[in-house]
Amino acid sequence: MIMAFLVLIAGLLLSGTAAYYSIIGLLAIFPGAIVPIALMGSSLEFAKLVAASWLYRNWDIAPKILKSYFIFAIIVLMFITSLGTFGYLSKVHLESSIGVADNSLEIARIEQQIATEQRKVDNAQRSLESLDSVVDKAFLDGARIRNQQKAERTALNSTIENSGNRIEELSTDLVPLRRSNIESEAKIGPLKYIAELIYGKDEAANYFDSAVRFVIILIVLVFDPLAVVMIIAANHGISTRSKPESKTSDEWVENIKQLKRKRKEGIVIDEQSLYKM
């Protein structure tokens, strides 16, 4: 009996959790009706469990049309609950993926700006090297040529300095974004390992979403269906324990053999003794 109640409690807990995730998932699908969806989801989940219990206890006496509809309704409600759970888990995954994608786009933009400033620095340095080459080739007029290049050299050095400062600023902005990106990837890291396990390390990046859907489907398959089955199992355990124990067929056969032996020996069997046997 204790085990039957434990199964019942576990089934109710599992069903309640599935209902919670399902309602959140349905709210994501129908965001404009929060209260009605919550009330509808809760009432349907409760009705599903009651229907499953009633169907089990009244299977032998219930009309066929009633049993057929109850079975249909329970299966549909299990599908709806599973669909809501699937929607909730998918929503969580998409939110994590979007966060990583947003950071990646921002990181790519900053890295492009850094590359642009770095090109300015490289071009300015090459220009300075060209000016130095001109001065080196002019043995006698080197000082005069360098003096003529003064304005151009100043502009090039200013470009290098400004671009260097800009690169430093952009690099500073890049650090928290990369840290956030690493943290987000760490949260979904186990799913990457699952993708590698299913599709291989080389192909995992291309099938990451497929691996996530595979995991979600596995969870859905054993979430609400298991809750309904446990409720039915609990009903079976409780109803079986509540019935009075009856003699098994083997016991009756043995009692009949004893009765025959006693009759052969001339022992009289009264009605009360026969009833006890």
Side-chain angles (χ1 to χ4, degrees):
M1 183 65 73
I2 296 178
M3 179 55 66
F5 281 109
L6 286 177
V7 172
L8 177 62
I9 293 172
L12 292 174
L13 180 61
L14 189 60
S15 179
T17 306
Y20 173 76
Y21 290 143
S22 175
I23 290 172
I24 294 179
L26 291 175
L27 289 176
I29 300 174
F30 306 102
I34 297 178
V35 176
I37 291 295
L39 290 175
M40 181 185 68
S42 301
S43 59
L44 287 176
E45 189 68 26
F46 178 73
K48 178 187 66 181
L49 299 181
V50 173
S53 299
W54 186 93
L55 187 62
Y56 172 79
R57 290 178 175 271
N58 299 276
W59 181 262
D60 295 329
I61 61 175
K64 182 179 290 187
I65 187 171
L66 189 59
K67 289 194 294 185
S68 300
Y69 179 75
F70 267 2
I71 293 173
F72 171 77
I74 291 171
I75 292 175
V76 171
L77 289 173
M78 288 170 62
F79 177 76
I80 292 174
T81 302
S82 299
L83 186 65
T85 304
F86 186 90
Y88 170 76
L89 295 177
S90 299
K91 177 176 176 289
V92 173
H93 167 64
L94 288 175
E95 288 176 350
S96 301
S97 300
I98 290 172
V100 175
D102 287 344
N103 286 340
S104 299
L105 291 174
E106 185 67 15
I107 289 172
R109 185 183 66 82
I110 295 177
E111 288 178 342
Q112 185 176 5
Q113 291 179 348
I114 291 175
T116 300
E117 296 298 331
Q118 187 60 50
R119 282 195 296 270
K120 291 180 181 179
V121 172
D122 295 339
N123 291 335
Q125 288 178 342
R126 282 194 294 268
S127 297
L128 286 174
E129 291 174 358
S130 298
L131 294 177
D132 291 338
S133 178
V134 172
V135 172
D136 293 338
K137 292 179 181 179
F139 296 102
L140 299 176
D141 298 332
R144 180 178 60 82
I145 295 174
R146 180 178 290 275
N147 187 52
Q148 292 175 350
Q149 297 173 345
K150 184 176 181 180
E152 187 175 0
R153 287 177 178 275
T154 301
L156 291 173
N157 287 324
S158 178
T159 298
I160 293 173
E161 182 179 359
N162 293 335
S163 294
N165 293 335
R166 180 58 179 162
I167 289 174
E168 186 176 353
E169 292 175 0
L170 292 171
S171 298
T172 302
D173 295 338
L174 199 59
V175 171
L177 292 174
R178 284 178 172 168
R179 183 183 297 112
S180 176
N181 213 20
I182 292 173
E183 292 175 354
S184 299
E185 290 179 353
K187 291 179 181 178
I188 58 177
L191 289 173
K192 288 187 176 181
Y193 288 106
I194 294 174
E196 291 179 0
L197 178 64
I198 298 174
Y199 300 103
K201 190 172 184 179
D202 296 334
E203 299 293 332
N206 298 326
Y207 294 97
F208 180 63
D209 289 337
S210 298
V212 173
R213 283 193 293 270
F214 175 75
V215 173
I216 293 175
I217 289 173
L218 287 181
I219 294 174
V220 167
L221 288 177
V222 296
F223 210 146
D224 192 58
L226 178 61
V228 174
V229 172
M230 292 185 75
I231 294 296
I232 295 175
N235 276 274
H236 174 73
I238 293 173
S239 61
T240 301
R241 292 293 182 180
S242 61
K243 293 180 181 178
E245 294 184 0
S246 58
K247 295 180 183 289
T248 63
S249 58
D250 293 338
E251 291 175 334
W252 281 109
V253 170
E254 183 63 28
N255 288 340
I256 292 173
K257 290 180 179 179
Q258 292 180 8
L259 177 61
K260 289 181 178 180
R261 285 197 300 267
K262 289 182 179 180
R263 283 180 176 176
K264 287 181 180 180
E265 295 172 359
I267 300 175
V268 179
I269 306 297
D270 59 6
E271 293 184 359
Q272 186 175 3
S273 300
L274 183 61
Y275 175 75
K276 291 180 180 180
M277 292 177 66

